Amino acid sequence: MNMPQKFEPTLEFARAKDDMDILFSYRERFHFPQHNGKPALYLCGNSLGLMPKSTSYLFDKELEDWAKFGVEGHFQAAHPWLSYSAQFSKTLSKIVGAKELEVMAMNTLTVNLHLLLVSFYRPANGRYRIIMEAGAFPSDQYAIETQVRMHGFDPKDAIIEIAPKEGEYCLEEEAILNAIESAGDSLACVLMGGVNYYTGQFYNLKDIAAKAHEVGALCGFDLAHAIGNLPLELHDWEVDFACWCSYKYLNSGPGGVGGIFVHEKWGNNPDTFRLAGWWGNEEGDRFEMKKGFVPSKGAASWQMSNAPVMNMVGHKAALDIFERTSMKILREKSVELTAYLYFLLKELTHLSFTIITPEEPERRGAQLSLLFHENGKAVFQELSKQGVIADWREPNVIRIAPVPLYNSFEEAFHFYELLKDIEL
C-alpha cells in the first residue's frame, strides 16, 4: 500500500494543515516541558501524557475543601468525595464504547488486571489455557504467569503466546484467530493488549472476542495503549472485560488512577465471582457494616475501597478536556497526523531504520515505532539534545507518538527536519 500523494514535506504545508485543525487550540490546555526556554517537541504521550493546565486549580480546590470541611468533605465538597469516582463513568463510557454501569475508575492497571483475572480466568472442565501476544508488556506477562501458577498450572503449558512470523514484527490477524481456534476446548481465556506497546499495532478486538466466544472462552483486553487513542466499542463487540491506566493518552498524571470495563452480562449478575471489597458492596446498605457481600450492579462491584480523591483530581482535569471533544474527532486528526509523520519519515534515506508499526491506518493508533539497524541510540541522544522528548526501547527502537490533543503538523515537520540534519 503506497502512502497517498496529498502530503508535502514543507513547512508551509504543515502550517496550512494546522490552520485547518479544529483541535489546534487544545494545545493551549496543556503544559509543555521546556528546552532552552522554548516548548520541547513532546512525542511521548504514549508513555506519559502532558499535564492539563487546569490540574493545579482543581488540586487547590480539593485541598481547600479538605481544609474547610474535614471529614464532611465526603458530603459537602464541591465534588463530594463519597461518590467521587462515579463522576467519571459517563465520560469513560463514551471513550471506550460502553454503558455507564460497565465502567469504573479505580485502582491501577495491574491491580485491576489481577482482580479481573480472578473473576474471568477460572479454569474448569479441561479449560485452563490462556492466550496472549508474545512480548507483551510485563504487566500482562507477570499477572498472567502468577494467575496460572495460582491455579496450579505450569505457565509453559497453560500460556499460549502468539508471535509474529520470523522476520516480521507485527501479528497477522489470521494467526491470532487460528491460535484461538486451535486451542479450542482447552482455552479458558484470551487476554491481549489492545495496542501492542512496542510496535504500536492495533488488534482487531471485535474479531478476537467473537472467535474466543466461538470456542467457548472468555475474552479481555489490556487497553493501556488504546484508551484515549482509538475509538472503541467494548459493549457492542461483546468484550467480557478490560482494564487500563490513565496516564498515557488520557493525560491523568504519573501513576494516575486506572479503570475497568465489565460487560453488563457479567457485571449485573450477582453470581459472577469477584473479590469482595467494602466499596463494591451494594451502596444502599454499604454502611450497615453487616456480613454477607452483596455486589453493586455493574463494574462498580469490583471496587475495593473508597476513591483516592487526590489521585483522581488529575483524572478529572483530563477527562474534562475529553468531554469537550469526541473520539471520532480525535481519531480523524490522529489518522491524518500519524500518516503525515509516516510520509515524512519515508522521505529520509540517510538513516537506516524500519517503521515496524503497521502502515494501514486501521491497524495503528497515534504511535510509530522506528527500529534502527545502526546508530539508534546515537540518533535518540542527538534528538534529546535538540529538545525532542521521545521514548527509547531496548534494544534499538525509538517510539514516537503524535497525540492529536496537543501535537501539531508543524511539530511533525520539525521532527522530520531534525532527523534530516543528523549526520552520523
Side-chain angles (χ1 to χ4, degrees):
M1 171 182 172
N2 295 321
M3 294 303 300
Q5 296 302 308
K6 58 182 178 179
F7 296 135
E8 299 174 14
T10 66
L11 179 59
E12 292 75 18
F13 177 85
R15 286 177 172 171
K17 294 295 294 182
D18 285 332
D19 287 342
M20 295 184 287
D21 176 20
I22 63 173
L23 291 171
F24 186 80
S25 64
Y26 279 65
R27 289 170 54 83
E28 297 303 318
R29 297 178 181 273
F30 295 89
H31 288 289
F32 282 78
Q34 298 294 297
H35 176 79
N36 293 336
K38 297 180 180 179
L41 207 176
Y42 195 83
L43 294 171
C44 210
N46 56 340
S47 185
L48 180 68
L50 290 179
M51 175 182 166
K53 291 179 179 178
S54 59
T55 306
S56 299
Y57 170 80
L58 292 176
F59 264 110
D60 286 343
K61 295 301 291 182
E62 292 301 340
L63 291 173
E64 288 174 12
D65 282 349
W66 185 12
K68 181 178 180 180
F69 298 117
V71 70
E72 294 302 322
H74 285 91
F75 312 99
Q76 298 183 30
H79 300 283
W81 306 332
L82 190 69
S83 57
Y84 200 88
S85 59
Q87 69 181 304
F88 304 121
S89 294
K90 179 180 178 181
T91 307
L92 288 172
S93 69
K94 290 189 289 187
I95 292 173
V96 302
K99 296 184 177 182
E100 287 188 40
L101 278 174
E102 293 177 318
V103 296
M104 180 54 59
M106 52 183 263
N107 303 320
T108 53
L109 175 67
T110 308
V111 172
N112 288 334
L113 191 56
H114 277 295
L115 290 175
L116 292 171
L117 285 171
V118 165
S119 294
F120 297 107
Y121 174 63
R122 299 183 63 77
N125 302 319
R127 290 189 179 275
Y128 68 99
R129 307 187 85 179
I130 186 166
I131 281 180
M132 65 183 296
E133 78 264 39
F137 199 82
S139 298
D140 295 3
Q141 292 188 50
Y142 302 160
I144 292 173
E145 178 184 343
T146 52
Q147 287 282 332
V148 163
R149 291 189 184 279
M150 184 172 69
H151 287 282
F153 297 106
D154 181 353
K156 293 179 180 179
D157 173 46
I159 299 175
I160 301 172
E161 293 186 283
I162 313 172
K165 290 181 178 178
E166 186 174 353
E168 297 184 3
Y169 305 104
C170 293
L171 286 173
E172 293 182 348
E173 302 294 346
E174 186 178 358
I176 300 172
L177 303 182
N178 286 343
I180 295 171
E181 187 167 350
S182 179
D185 292 342
S186 71
L187 187 64
C189 183
V190 174
L191 177 62
M192 296 182 60
V195 171
N196 183 274
Y197 84 97
Y198 189 72
T199 66
Q201 179 183 3
F202 176 46
Y203 300 118
N204 190 326
L205 310 191
K206 179 181 179 180
D207 286 358
I208 292 171
K211 178 59 72 171
H213 294 156
E214 185 181 305
V215 302
L218 300 181
C219 184
F221 296 102
D222 173 351
L223 301 176
H225 289 82
I227 189 168
N229 179 10
L230 291 137
L232 303 167
E233 296 293 339
L234 299 185
H235 176 84
D236 289 347
W237 295 342
E238 297 189 356
V239 173
D240 294 297
F241 65 97
C243 58
W244 54 82
C245 59
S246 67
Y247 47 81
K248 302 180 189 299
Y249 296 100
L250 290 188
N251 313 304
S252 298
V257 65
I260 67 168
F261 162 87
V262 178
H263 198 282
E264 64 178 354
K265 65 184 174 184
W266 305 113
N268 293 344
N269 182 355
D271 293 331
T272 301
F273 181 81
R274 63 272 262 177
L275 290 180
W278 178 40
W279 222 250
N281 194 74
E282 177 60 41
E283 187 175 355
D285 59 7
R286 181 180 294 157
F287 288 89
E288 294 181 12
M289 311 298 189
K290 60 186 180 182
K291 291 184 178 180
F293 175 70
V294 179
S296 300
K297 278 193 173 182
S301 57
W302 272 263
Q303 293 179 103
M304 292 284 102
S305 305
N306 54 318
V309 171
M310 296 306 168
N311 183 287
M312 288 182 166
V313 171
H315 202 34
K316 175 170 174 51
L319 293 189
D320 284 349
I321 296 174
F322 275 86
E323 268 296 302
R324 295 173 178 270
T325 182
S326 69
M327 287 307 303
K328 180 178 183 295
I329 292 172
L330 289 169
R331 177 59 175 164
E332 286 173 355
K333 177 182 174 182
S334 181
V335 168
E336 193 86 353
L337 180 58
T338 307
Y340 183 54
L341 185 52
Y342 194 105
F343 161 80
L344 292 172
L345 292 171
K346 297 293 283 186
E347 292 285 296
L348 299 170
T349 58
H350 69 298
L351 297 174
S352 180
F353 66 85
T354 299
I355 303 174
I356 61 174
T357 307
E359 185 174 3
E360 305 90 340
E362 65 273 14
R363 297 181 64 211
R364 68 179 183 219
Q367 175 179 320
L368 294 175
S369 296
L370 285 54
L371 186 150
F372 279 78
H373 306 294
E374 59 183 16
N375 298 322
K377 198 62 176 284
V379 171
F380 180 78
Q381 291 170 343
E382 182 59 31
L383 288 171
S384 298
K385 291 177 184 176
Q386 297 296 323
V388 176
I389 299 178
D391 182 68
W392 173 259
R393 292 285 159 165
E394 295 293 347
N396 50 8
V397 166
I398 297 176
R399 299 189 312 161
I400 52 176
V403 176
L405 263 179
Y406 50 73
N407 285 130
S408 67
F409 287 85
E410 184 172 342
E411 285 179 313
F413 179 78
H414 183 40
F415 180 73
Y416 156 74
E417 279 198 312
L418 289 174
L419 279 177
K420 189 168 65 172
D421 290 342
I422 292 177
E423 296 182 3
L424 298 172

